[in-house]
Amino acid sequence: MDTMTETTPTTPSSPAEMERRWQERWAADGLYDVDLEDRSRPAYYFLTMLPYPSGDLHLGHWFVCSPSDTRARFLRMKGYNVFFPIGFDAFGLPAENAAIKRQIHPADWTYANMEKMRSQFRSMGPSFPWQHEVVTCEPEYYRWNQWFFIQFLKRGWAYRKFAPVDWCTSCNTTLAREQVVGEDRHCERCGSPVIKKELHQWFLRITDYAEELLDFSGLDWPERVKTLQENWIGRKEGAEILFPAAGGETVKVFTTRPDTLWGATFVVLAPEHPLVPALTSEGQRAAVAAYVEQASRFSEVERAAENREKTGVALGTTVTNPATGEEVPVWIADYVLADYGFGAVMAVPAHDQRDFEFASRHGLEVRWVIAPPAGPEVARDAAYSDYAGVMTRSGPLDGVAVGKAAGESIPAAIAWLEAESKGKGVVTYRLRDWLVSRQRYWGTPIPVIYCPRCGTVPVPEDELPLTLPRDVDFRKTGENPLRAHPTWRFTPCPRCGEAAERETDTMDTFVDSSWYQYRYLSPHYADGPFDPACLPWLPVFQYTGGIEHATMHLMYTRFWTRLMRDMGLVPFSEPMTRLFNQGIILGPDGRRMSKSRGNVVDPDELVARYGADTVRCFLMFLGPWDQGGPWSPTGIEGIVRWLNRVKDLASSGGGAADATALNPGLARDLERKLHQTIRNLGDDTEAFRFNTAISRMMELANLMMKARAELAETTLWTAVVRTYLLLLAPYAPHLAEELWAARGYGYSIHQQTWPTHSDALAAEDELEVVVQVNGKLRDKLSVAPGTDRETLERLALAAERAQPFLADKTVRKVIVVPDKLVNIVVG
Ligand code: ANZ
Ligand code: ZN
């Protein structure tokens, strides 16, 4: 681009008008188009989670996007070839609900919303390369969902099973386990109660990757996200043990304490366990049926609650304890969950509290098989479940120390079970396979045909995409309109040509967001999900988004990338190397912004009034980005004043005088501050500390105000103003461009390089001041020489490493020795 093109003359105008002018120019010039083939600069894939086209860009979108955009701009100025794309996660239920409620087609609703949001996005002045936009409801996108699905099917990674699944009665569809939330098990989306329903459903084998997904090595991700994923996967080491029954059936239990097998005095099945009918004696049939029916009315969480009464019913039969050879009774109880382990436990009342309560209530035997370290065993009123002591009454395990380490009771029990073929060591996971079928219209059709002769046949790949029919009727019940469509469903079998039927379920929309980052690179590529020539851009180097996506989206995309790896599409396992979670901007009432609460702040109004630069900077200035918090407009005037001050400063000076000759002290102060600002602002922007970055720019502006009277006509002043605008450019891109042009510099400021600082000029005058609490060294401050007592006292009282020694103490006295130390006396 010709940097010497003439700039539009500036006229006094509202910020919003001035901004629109630059936005149009940038768009016309393709200023943010990216050349992915340009390898002269290092590639930097910087991604922010793609929005759902709900209809309006609210302040939350601004809170997510404008700091990211600032950082993308900064990285460009630092010399990276930055890829910072955007798109829309455009399938999903709200569109369909709008269709049902307002008789608008989901496609029309979605496309109108996207159109509106694109123009709102543009008013923010973001540097998105729009030519890379991905819209997940476009056939050219979801075609690849279908292609992936077929590959998974061929490899056995997708399978169909008739199973009880979670069903939302109001959304009229199945939910993934992750979409069922709360103690009362309600639908994450609409809050309605979730019930179990038996259906044929498609699943993806994420459990095959459970172990791998626990490996976070090489990932620079927040600990919180890793912990949430770990808990979600829920890895447990233990053993499976077989308890044979007289009729030839075998009850398999999962236990984390196989060493206590000699103390297992009964077995408890979940009421839903498939062996319940076979193991129920005639006499107990009625009581068992009644109990099963009662249990189905409680949620898993209720059933697992610790303080719950341990109800249950005996089946009237026994199984053999494989260690003691004794016949032990079989019960059902709702504290045993169908979905965990094998839905059956060996009950060891002496060493498991739930079993203890159950045995006490139902008069079952309690047999102690661990001698606690302190003295001989005595009758107790609670289970002893510590990993300490010595095994007793346990045959081959007698005398073995209790524990998980080699040679201790748990590995010894597993070795015994394996030698005797009575069980084995196993690892279980809480994670379940990903249920991807949805009984709804507005999603990717699952590309499968059911033929009475050939069975399940994938849609031939050359017939993809299998598109959604547009002419559908939405029923009030939410029933999938694809089922009611007169023709769509019926098709000849691609294999034998006989009449066959299509699957009418569509895919969970989390499928769409599991691999969109790849598509962005080559959104119109027709020979695969993405162009392999783009591999040097992958994986995504930095991702930003909300913590609410810790388990679903972020787990699914890690899984999907591993599938792509195993198909040979990518040579890595992790989709995003670094992750940063921003906070949430809440409504003025401190609650999540939502239309129904009426606490949504309209960014368009703010932009019309203050301009996008002010809104962007204010959102970044509110506080640390990872914290978020309630919206309050107080303080926005501070940003207005600062930016006006910058305007004012940038329109002064221009002389050729020598600052050092005029006032060497002041010249030095200004120069030092400038270099410190360059350095610190760069570090802050890199580390997402946008709020401190802005305060550094404010400080520099304040010093410039002081220096202007004396130094405005100097070359130093001119250089400081020029650099200031460069520092401002990522934060207030329009104003910076405007002032840059007004000073006669070539278009565009956004193609300049980030200024470099000199350590010597920035740091030479800082010195270290020691912070003591009651005379003990606790922290150090780095300050300018001659920093006044008040400032030193304030900094010392706020010093991070001194805080633990100040907590709940009263500060009696603060002794300040300028340039040397601060001693805080507490009592
Ligand atoms: C015998 C035993 C003896 C157990 C003992 C514990 C202590 P965590 O660690 O909480 O995951 N269990 C197995 N399957 C179950 C199911 N479907 N519903 C409810 N409880 C089930 O618990 C693992 C333990 O939970 C397993 O180890 C089993 O009880 C129980 F001294 O087996 B244990
Ligand atoms: Zn067929």
Side-chain angles (χ1 to χ4, degrees), residues 449-455 457 492-500:
I449 293 163
Y450 302 110
C451 168
R453 228 194 258 174
C454 313
V457 183
C493 166
R495 251 175 228 162
C496 72
E498 290 290 308

PDB file of all heavy atoms in Angstrom, residues 449-455 457 492-500, ligand 2:
ATOM      1  N   ILE A 449     -28.189 -43.207   6.190  1.00  0.00           N
ATOM      2  CA  ILE A 449     -29.444 -43.734   5.642  1.00  0.00           C
ATOM      3  C   ILE A 449     -29.667 -45.123   6.229  1.00  0.00           C
ATOM      4  O   ILE A 449     -28.707 -45.903   6.346  1.00  0.00           O
ATOM      5  CB  ILE A 449     -29.354 -43.788   4.101  1.00  0.00           C
ATOM      6  CG1 ILE A 449     -29.278 -42.352   3.553  1.00  0.00           C
ATOM      7  CG2 ILE A 449     -30.545 -44.548   3.503  1.00  0.00           C
ATOM      8  CD1 ILE A 449     -28.789 -42.275   2.135  1.00  0.00           C
ATOM      9  N   TYR A 450     -30.906 -45.393   6.633  1.00  0.00           N
ATOM     10  CA  TYR A 450     -31.223 -46.717   7.160  1.00  0.00           C
ATOM     11  C   TYR A 450     -31.947 -47.510   6.079  1.00  0.00           C
ATOM     12  O   TYR A 450     -33.018 -47.103   5.621  1.00  0.00           O
ATOM     13  CB  TYR A 450     -32.080 -46.601   8.418  1.00  0.00           C
ATOM     14  CG  TYR A 450     -31.392 -45.774   9.491  1.00  0.00           C
ATOM     15  CD1 TYR A 450     -31.875 -44.502   9.827  1.00  0.00           C
ATOM     16  CD2 TYR A 450     -30.253 -46.247  10.131  1.00  0.00           C
ATOM     17  CE1 TYR A 450     -31.224 -43.727  10.781  1.00  0.00           C
ATOM     18  CE2 TYR A 450     -29.597 -45.474  11.088  1.00  0.00           C
ATOM     19  CZ  TYR A 450     -30.083 -44.216  11.402  1.00  0.00           C
ATOM     20  OH  TYR A 450     -29.438 -43.453  12.332  1.00  0.00           O
ATOM     21  N   CYS A 451     -31.339 -48.600   5.679  1.00  0.00           N
ATOM     22  CA  CYS A 451     -31.915 -49.429   4.626  1.00  0.00           C
ATOM     23  C   CYS A 451     -32.379 -50.745   5.246  1.00  0.00           C
ATOM     24  O   CYS A 451     -31.643 -51.345   6.009  1.00  0.00           O
ATOM     25  CB  CYS A 451     -30.850 -49.692   3.562  1.00  0.00           C
ATOM     26  SG  CYS A 451     -31.343 -50.980   2.399  1.00  0.00           S
ATOM     27  N   PRO A 452     -33.588 -51.167   4.922  1.00  0.00           N
ATOM     28  CA  PRO A 452     -34.082 -52.409   5.518  1.00  0.00           C
ATOM     29  C   PRO A 452     -33.183 -53.595   5.156  1.00  0.00           C
ATOM     30  O   PRO A 452     -33.106 -54.564   5.894  1.00  0.00           O
ATOM     31  CB  PRO A 452     -35.471 -52.596   4.909  1.00  0.00           C
ATOM     32  CG  PRO A 452     -35.762 -51.405   4.085  1.00  0.00           C
ATOM     33  CD  PRO A 452     -34.556 -50.535   4.024  1.00  0.00           C
ATOM     34  N   ARG A 453     -32.490 -53.490   4.029  1.00  0.00           N
ATOM     35  CA  ARG A 453     -31.651 -54.602   3.597  1.00  0.00           C
ATOM     36  C   ARG A 453     -30.197 -54.429   4.025  1.00  0.00           C
ATOM     37  O   ARG A 453     -29.568 -55.345   4.528  1.00  0.00           O
ATOM     38  CB  ARG A 453     -31.697 -54.665   2.075  1.00  0.00           C
ATOM     39  CG  ARG A 453     -31.959 -56.078   1.591  1.00  0.00           C
ATOM     40  CD  ARG A 453     -31.674 -56.172   0.132  1.00  0.00           C
ATOM     41  NE  ARG A 453     -32.916 -56.156  -0.621  1.00  0.00           N
ATOM     42  CZ  ARG A 453     -32.961 -56.111  -1.941  1.00  0.00           C
ATOM     43  NH1 ARG A 453     -31.838 -56.050  -2.643  1.00  0.00           N
ATOM     44  NH2 ARG A 453     -34.113 -56.115  -2.552  1.00  0.00           N
ATOM     45  N   CYS A 454     -29.637 -53.227   3.793  1.00  0.00           N
ATOM     46  CA  CYS A 454     -28.194 -53.028   4.027  1.00  0.00           C
ATOM     47  C   CYS A 454     -27.888 -52.474   5.410  1.00  0.00           C
ATOM     48  O   CYS A 454     -26.715 -52.330   5.760  1.00  0.00           O
ATOM     49  CB  CYS A 454     -27.605 -52.086   2.987  1.00  0.00           C
ATOM     50  SG  CYS A 454     -28.089 -52.479   1.320  1.00  0.00           S
ATOM     51  N   GLY A 455     -28.917 -52.088   6.132  1.00  0.00           N
ATOM     52  CA  GLY A 455     -28.642 -51.538   7.466  1.00  0.00           C
ATOM     53  C   GLY A 455     -28.257 -50.073   7.377  1.00  0.00           C
ATOM     54  O   GLY A 455     -28.793 -49.329   6.564  1.00  0.00           O
ATOM     55  N   VAL A 457     -26.238 -47.072   6.293  1.00  0.00           N
ATOM     56  CA  VAL A 457     -25.367 -46.768   5.158  1.00  0.00           C
ATOM     57  C   VAL A 457     -25.059 -45.270   5.171  1.00  0.00           C
ATOM     58  O   VAL A 457     -25.974 -44.452   5.241  1.00  0.00           O
ATOM     59  CB  VAL A 457     -26.080 -47.116   3.829  1.00  0.00           C
ATOM     60  CG1 VAL A 457     -25.149 -46.868   2.646  1.00  0.00           C
ATOM     61  CG2 VAL A 457     -26.575 -48.549   3.852  1.00  0.00           C
ATOM     62  N   PRO A 492     -33.720 -43.547  -1.965  1.00  0.00           N
ATOM     63  CA  PRO A 492     -33.278 -44.919  -2.236  1.00  0.00           C
ATOM     64  C   PRO A 492     -31.967 -45.206  -1.515  1.00  0.00           C
ATOM     65  O   PRO A 492     -31.150 -44.300  -1.315  1.00  0.00           O
ATOM     66  CB  PRO A 492     -33.078 -44.942  -3.756  1.00  0.00           C
ATOM     67  CG  PRO A 492     -33.133 -43.532  -4.222  1.00  0.00           C
ATOM     68  CD  PRO A 492     -33.707 -42.675  -3.149  1.00  0.00           C
ATOM     69  N   CYS A 493     -31.758 -46.439  -1.124  1.00  0.00           N
ATOM     70  CA  CYS A 493     -30.509 -46.821  -0.463  1.00  0.00           C
ATOM     71  C   CYS A 493     -29.365 -46.649  -1.458  1.00  0.00           C
ATOM     72  O   CYS A 493     -29.444 -47.116  -2.596  1.00  0.00           O
ATOM     73  CB  CYS A 493     -30.591 -48.266  -0.004  1.00  0.00           C
ATOM     74  SG  CYS A 493     -28.987 -48.935   0.448  1.00  0.00           S
ATOM     75  N   PRO A 494     -28.301 -45.950  -1.053  1.00  0.00           N
ATOM     76  CA  PRO A 494     -27.186 -45.747  -1.982  1.00  0.00           C
ATOM     77  C   PRO A 494     -26.491 -47.055  -2.363  1.00  0.00           C
ATOM     78  O   PRO A 494     -25.798 -47.116  -3.363  1.00  0.00           O
ATOM     79  CB  PRO A 494     -26.236 -44.823  -1.239  1.00  0.00           C
ATOM     80  CG  PRO A 494     -26.773 -44.647   0.126  1.00  0.00           C
ATOM     81  CD  PRO A 494     -28.099 -45.321   0.241  1.00  0.00           C
ATOM     82  N   ARG A 495     -26.709 -48.086  -1.590  1.00  0.00           N
ATOM     83  CA  ARG A 495     -26.048 -49.350  -1.905  1.00  0.00           C
ATOM     84  C   ARG A 495     -26.895 -50.247  -2.813  1.00  0.00           C
ATOM     85  O   ARG A 495     -26.442 -50.709  -3.837  1.00  0.00           O
ATOM     86  CB  ARG A 495     -25.723 -50.099  -0.619  1.00  0.00           C
ATOM     87  CG  ARG A 495     -24.224 -50.074  -0.397  1.00  0.00           C
ATOM     88  CD  ARG A 495     -23.812 -50.687   0.889  1.00  0.00           C
ATOM     89  NE  ARG A 495     -22.879 -49.777   1.544  1.00  0.00           N
ATOM     90  CZ  ARG A 495     -22.581 -49.820   2.820  1.00  0.00           C
ATOM     91  NH1 ARG A 495     -23.150 -50.699   3.611  1.00  0.00           N
ATOM     92  NH2 ARG A 495     -21.723 -48.963   3.319  1.00  0.00           N
ATOM     93  N   CYS A 496     -28.165 -50.470  -2.382  1.00  0.00           N
ATOM     94  CA  CYS A 496     -28.963 -51.445  -3.123  1.00  0.00           C
ATOM     95  C   CYS A 496     -30.108 -50.813  -3.901  1.00  0.00           C
ATOM     96  O   CYS A 496     -30.782 -51.487  -4.671  1.00  0.00           O
ATOM     97  CB  CYS A 496     -29.509 -52.507  -2.170  1.00  0.00           C
ATOM     98  SG  CYS A 496     -30.818 -51.871  -1.105  1.00  0.00           S
ATOM     99  N   GLY A 497     -30.346 -49.526  -3.700  1.00  0.00           N
ATOM    100  CA  GLY A 497     -31.390 -48.853  -4.460  1.00  0.00           C
ATOM    101  C   GLY A 497     -32.798 -49.049  -3.941  1.00  0.00           C
ATOM    102  O   GLY A 497     -33.738 -48.434  -4.437  1.00  0.00           O
ATOM    103  N   GLU A 498     -32.978 -49.879  -2.918  1.00  0.00           N
ATOM    104  CA  GLU A 498     -34.310 -50.077  -2.337  1.00  0.00           C
ATOM    105  C   GLU A 498     -34.745 -48.827  -1.571  1.00  0.00           C
ATOM    106  O   GLU A 498     -33.910 -48.007  -1.183  1.00  0.00           O
ATOM    107  CB  GLU A 498     -34.268 -51.243  -1.350  1.00  0.00           C
ATOM    108  CG  GLU A 498     -34.091 -52.608  -1.973  1.00  0.00           C
ATOM    109  CD  GLU A 498     -35.321 -53.062  -2.731  1.00  0.00           C
ATOM    110  OE1 GLU A 498     -36.424 -53.033  -2.142  1.00  0.00           O
ATOM    111  OE2 GLU A 498     -35.187 -53.413  -3.924  1.00  0.00           O
ATOM    112  N   ALA A 499     -36.047 -48.745  -1.332  1.00  0.00           N
ATOM    113  CA  ALA A 499     -36.551 -47.616  -0.550  1.00  0.00           C
ATOM    114  C   ALA A 499     -35.915 -47.638   0.843  1.00  0.00           C
ATOM    115  O   ALA A 499     -35.897 -48.676   1.498  1.00  0.00           O
ATOM    116  CB  ALA A 499     -38.061 -47.697  -0.432  1.00  0.00           C
ATOM    117  N   ALA A 500     -35.393 -46.492   1.257  1.00  0.00           N
ATOM    118  CA  ALA A 500     -34.741 -46.396   2.568  1.00  0.00           C
ATOM    119  C   ALA A 500     -35.086 -45.050   3.189  1.00  0.00           C
ATOM    120  O   ALA A 500     -35.756 -44.225   2.560  1.00  0.00           O
ATOM    121  CB  ALA A 500     -33.239 -46.561   2.419  1.00  0.00           C
TER     122      ALA A 500
HETATM  123 ZN    ZN B   2     -29.801 -51.003   0.995  1.00  0.00          ZN
END
